[in-house]
Amino acid sequence: MKHAYLALSLATILNTPLVAFAAEKTQVKDSIEHIEVAGQVIKSQGLSVKNETIDGPFGDNLALQDIARSVTPISSELIEQLNITTLQDVLAVSPNTYSASGFGAPSLPTIRGQLGELFQDGTRRQAGNNGFGVPLSFNSVEQIDVVKGAPPVLFGSSQRNGGFVNLQSKVASTDESKGKASLSAGRWDQYSAQIDYTAPIIKDKVGFRVSYEHLDHGSYYDYSGTKSDSLFAALRILPDDKSTWDINFELYQVEFTDNAGINRPTQALIDDGLYITGQGVQANGSTVPAAGSIVSPTGQVNIDRSTVLTDPDNQNEATTYLIHSIYKRELSANASLKNITYFQHLQREEIAQNSFVEIIDGADTAQNRTELTYSWNDEQQTIFAFDVRYNKVLGYSQFTTEADLPIDLTGPLSNRRIPLTDAQMSRLVELRPGVFVSPGAQYDIDNDGSGDFNLSDTTDSRSWQTGFAIQQDSDWTDKLHTSVGYRVDYYDVEARDPIAPQGQTAASDSINDTLQSGQVSFNYKLNADFTGYGAASYNEATSNSMAGGNVLGGGNVISEQNFATENTLVEFGLKYAPIDSDWYADGAVFSQRRSLRNRDGSNTGIRTTGFESQVFYDAYPYWLSAGYSYIDARYDNSASSQDSAQVADAFDNSRPDIIAGTGVGAPSFTPFAPSNSQVQGIPEQSFSFNGNYSITSKWQTGFSGLYTKSYPLDFLQTVKIRDQYTLNVNTSYAFTPSTKLRLDVNNITNQKNWRPVFEGGYFGATLAFPELPINAKLTLTHKF
């Protein structure tokens, strides 16, 4: 089914004027006039979620207490206060967002125990393959909205359904000129600079904004670092008093490290930093890491936590650019129109010495959504949405010959390198001299009835997604509000092998499918301070590979299973948002059933139930917040798999004083039978807390902390990450109203904490990520 890009529609913005109030009281005494001005003292520092509005997911300009979901809006002030620089950092303020390290460069959020989606201005961004992808820059971001549960019907069918983050872009000012510059320097030669400036071009009509960020980060970890540049530009046009048009552009280039952490995660490594030495040996006597290798332990040593699975000769870089257009117009007193257009282009290349290859030779995504909002009366409102999304991916992948457990990290670099044998190369295709990748399909060249090649995520695919959504919002009384939504998405997908073996006809396939989603929710105001809510949703989603592409599966066809991911949510909550108080609090209980895409492309059902709560207090000179989460995440009578069944499989039993090895060899891909076992890599309980105190009008000090309960690292629960905590402190001093110096000291107690490396626990018996030791950063900020 062919579609053309939708033309930009006229739209409107609902201008909300700022209103200030002051009461004047005049008294006359002894013929002398006294004028007393009375008004409410503004105590908020912009560090509470209470007064933030949410645009996009459920409608526009919605107050937090009016949304029937667990939501945490993180303002630009809160981003600065909490020193949020990666998606992992949102756990500091949003419960149930604990994440794996994402190989040191997380590109997706983790919410309620599963990868979530990443949106910007209401459209889904390209992101990583199961969380591993291009790092995210916050240079273009004004606000981060963290929402639990599957995306709503207005956002449409997607891939990941634990929750989502919607980034709200910076906008240009049309009425004043202002700017901000910041410089920072941190431990391990980590330097960054940013400048952000906005000004009107035609006052009250047209404004522009430019923001540039440069990062040059060394690293605590061996052979690691990040260098990036982000250029963001925004234009705001106000054609008349009924419309607004925001256009923004970002160009982002980054060189970064694929950091797999430390292998051989025994309990002794987690608890005491003890690493088992000895290089794995193949059956033929080779010490090159390969599947089935067996390690004869040669000893046990304290390993430096900076010694991780990296290589100085690895290549890893990416370039992407994005364009967003948001156009709004008030059509009448009852109707308004909003049009959102998005385009992103991505190129990425990683060639690693351990034989891993992921090359995105071009991924293009375009989306256009038009929303019509019509108010039938003061109580009934309907939102209609029509959505078209196009995605094209040309990419090459090879991960079938990786082998981490056989590697002795304490030995020479040659221990980590995997030169391909002639037999291995014969099962791959040479993309260019010396670079071998999997073909995008399977071929039986010798006619023995089995395929002769290793498959990964190589594909040349394109997809059209056309969706229609309707959402009805109703105020039945002054206290009761309901919302009901439905959406249908039609998919038209094609995939072909872009690099078929010599002499073979490239395989290809196409598929059409229709996916549906629905939601229902209610809000009930118990009184002026408390609002109770309930929400339920059903969502059919897709299962994709790198950059959202589609691959050919068994039989060289696109699997129907990729369009059979069903997700459900039931959530009840209570929100406390008193008008005359500086407090905000909410709590929610939930049950979610969703699917996790496995490394081999299959889906695994996971059911989670839990509770989460957040509390905020914001009144100068104090600011405090706390969040608590409990989650019971289990396989939903569903199968799972790991790179190896357990870490002991990598070792023989020649040193039982060190480890009781099983001699199975590793890696040895292990499927586990359907079960209701606890999902590995997710803490059942976590607690976060933050605070800030203004000692004087110029001097502030603050803290933040995170505690996570013990949890299993691997499926069989042979190794656990113990209870652990991290405590950070900060202080800032304003030399002038415009110039401020801030010092952050992270992990001030120098805890030796760990995280999983990969979402879903696939490497739970193979890898663990050592978190950073104590470190400091100094930041100078000047506003002009």
Side-chain angles (χ1 to χ4, degrees), residues 46 52-53 55 73-80 84 119-121 125 137-145 165-173 178 180 194 196-198 209-211 232 234 236 248 250 783:
E52 301 300 328
T53 58
D55 287 336
I74 307 173
S75 65
S76 57
E77 293 85 1
L78 198 50
I79 292 172
E80 179 179 348
I84 293 176
F119 292 82
Q120 186 162 5
D121 299 325
R125 285 183 53 142
S137 168
F138 288 119
N139 180 46
S140 65
V141 177
E142 189 73 25
Q143 180 170 311
I144 304 170
D145 297 330
V165 167
N166 185 36
L167 308 175
Q168 294 190 29
S169 297
K170 295 174 178 177
V171 297
S173 172
K178 57 183 178 179
K180 179 180 177 181
Q194 183 187 60
D196 185 351
Y197 180 73
T198 182
R209 185 168 185 169
V210 176
S211 184
F232 173 80
R236 166 162 280 196
N248 59 63
E250 181 182 9
K783 297 179 180 179

Side-chain angles (χ1 to χ4, degrees), residues 241-255:
D241 61 353
K242 296 182 181 296
S243 60
T244 185
W245 190 11
D246 287 299
I247 307 169
N248 59 63
F249 169 83
E250 181 182 9
L251 174 64
Y252 179 62
Q253 192 279 331
V254 61
E255 299 176 15

Side-chain angles (χ1 to χ4, degrees), residues 194-421:
Q194 183 187 60
I195 185 166
D196 185 351
Y197 180 73
T198 182
I201 299 174
I202 302 175
K203 189 171 179 61
D204 298 326
K205 289 290 185 182
V206 182
F208 79 96
R209 185 168 185 169
V210 176
S211 184
Y212 172 73
E213 178 188 64
H214 174 73
L215 270 63
D216 188 350
H217 282 183
S219 179
Y220 163 73
Y221 306 106
D222 292 346
Y223 315 119
S224 297
T226 301
K227 291 185 179 180
S228 69
D229 293 277
S230 171
L231 175 63
F232 173 80
L235 186 68
R236 166 162 280 196
I237 303 171
L238 305 178
D240 50 46
D241 61 353
K242 296 182 181 296
S243 60
T244 185
W245 190 11
D246 287 299
I247 307 169
N248 59 63
F249 169 83
E250 181 182 9
L251 174 64
Y252 179 62
Q253 192 279 331
V254 61
E255 299 176 15
F256 62 104
T257 302
D258 173 355
N259 186 342
I262 298 177
N263 63 343
R264 304 179 181 178
T266 62
Q267 198 63 59
L269 176 69
I270 300 300
D271 293 347
D272 303 312
L274 295 175
Y275 183 85
I276 301 175
T277 59
Q279 184 76 354
V281 180
Q282 298 182 41
N284 63 6
S286 172
T287 58
V288 172
S293 296
I294 298 176
V295 181
S296 296
T298 58
Q300 197 171 28
V301 299
N302 277 295
I303 191 171
D304 193 316
R305 290 166 59 88
S306 65
T307 304
V308 290
L309 280 168
T310 53
D311 194 296
D313 291 340
N314 287 352
Q315 304 173 42
N316 198 10
E317 59 184 6
T319 300
T320 186
Y321 61 84
L322 303 89
I323 301 170
H324 280 93
S325 167
I326 305 173
Y327 200 33
K328 302 180 181 180
R329 183 167 182 82
E330 183 179 338
L331 302 177
S332 68
N334 297 329
S336 63
L337 196 68
K338 178 168 72 171
N339 182 271
I340 303 173
T341 300
Y342 153 77
F343 177 80
Q344 181 175 2
H345 174 78
L346 169 68
Q347 288 186 271
R348 180 180 177 223
E349 180 163 301
E350 177 177 6
I351 301 174
Q353 297 303 306
N354 68 346
S355 76
F356 177 84
V357 176
E358 183 168 291
I359 297 173
I360 300 176
D361 226 4
D364 295 304
T365 305
Q367 183 172 351
N368 184 278
R369 182 168 71 247
T370 299
E371 298 177 12
L372 173 65
T373 302
Y374 189 82
S375 299
W376 305 95
N377 50 48
D378 292 340
E379 292 80 32
Q380 302 292 329
Q381 174 183 278
T382 306
I383 303 176
F384 304 92
F386 180 69
D387 209 340
V388 176
R389 181 179 175 90
Y390 172 77
N391 191 63
K392 186 179 188 307
V393 178
L394 174 60
Y396 307 93
S397 177
Q398 148 58 7
F399 51 68
T400 61
T401 56
E402 287 182 81
D404 295 325
L405 276 174
I407 296 170
D408 183 351
L409 273 178
T410 65
L413 281 175
S414 58
N415 278 7
R416 314 177 187 188
R417 296 177 173 174
I418 304 178
L420 299 177
T421 65

Side-chain angles (χ1 to χ4, degrees), residues 429-457:
V429 179
E430 192 170 20
L431 176 66
R432 54 180 184 252
V435 178
F436 288 82
V437 298
S438 298
Q442 187 59 270
Y443 304 91
D444 181 11
I445 294 178
D446 57 11
N447 297 314
D448 65 351
S450 61
D452 297 319
F453 293 89
N454 295 346
L455 299 185
S456 50
D457 280 339

Side-chain angles (χ1 to χ4, degrees), residues 50 65 524-532 574-581 583-586:
K50 178 179 177 181
Q65 61 267 31
Y524 187 80
K525 291 187 178 296
L526 303 174
N527 54 42
D529 296 340
F530 288 94
T531 301
L574 182 66
K575 298 185 179 183
Y576 173 67
I579 297 175
D580 57 351
S581 172
W583 289 93
Y584 172 84
D586 65 33

Side-chain angles (χ1 to χ4, degrees), residues 68-71 94-99 109-116 146-150 161-164 533 535 568-573 587-592 594 606-613 629-634 679 682-683 759:
R69 282 284 192 92
S70 177
V71 183
S94 182
N96 260 327
T97 55
Y98 184 81
S99 64
T110 298
I111 300 173
R112 289 180 176 170
Q114 192 203 352
L115 284 172
V146 184
V147 185
K148 315 300 172 55
N161 294 276
F164 63 94
Y533 74 86
T568 60
L569 164 70
V570 177
E571 179 179 320
F572 294 95
V589 293
F590 62 88
S591 175
Q592 288 186 202
R594 57 194 186 275
I606 294 176
R607 183 175 294 277
T608 60
T609 56
F611 169 78
E612 59 203 21
S613 180
S629 63
Y630 166 80
I631 185 170
D632 181 22
R634 296 186 175 275
V679 177
I682 302 171
E759 301 293 344

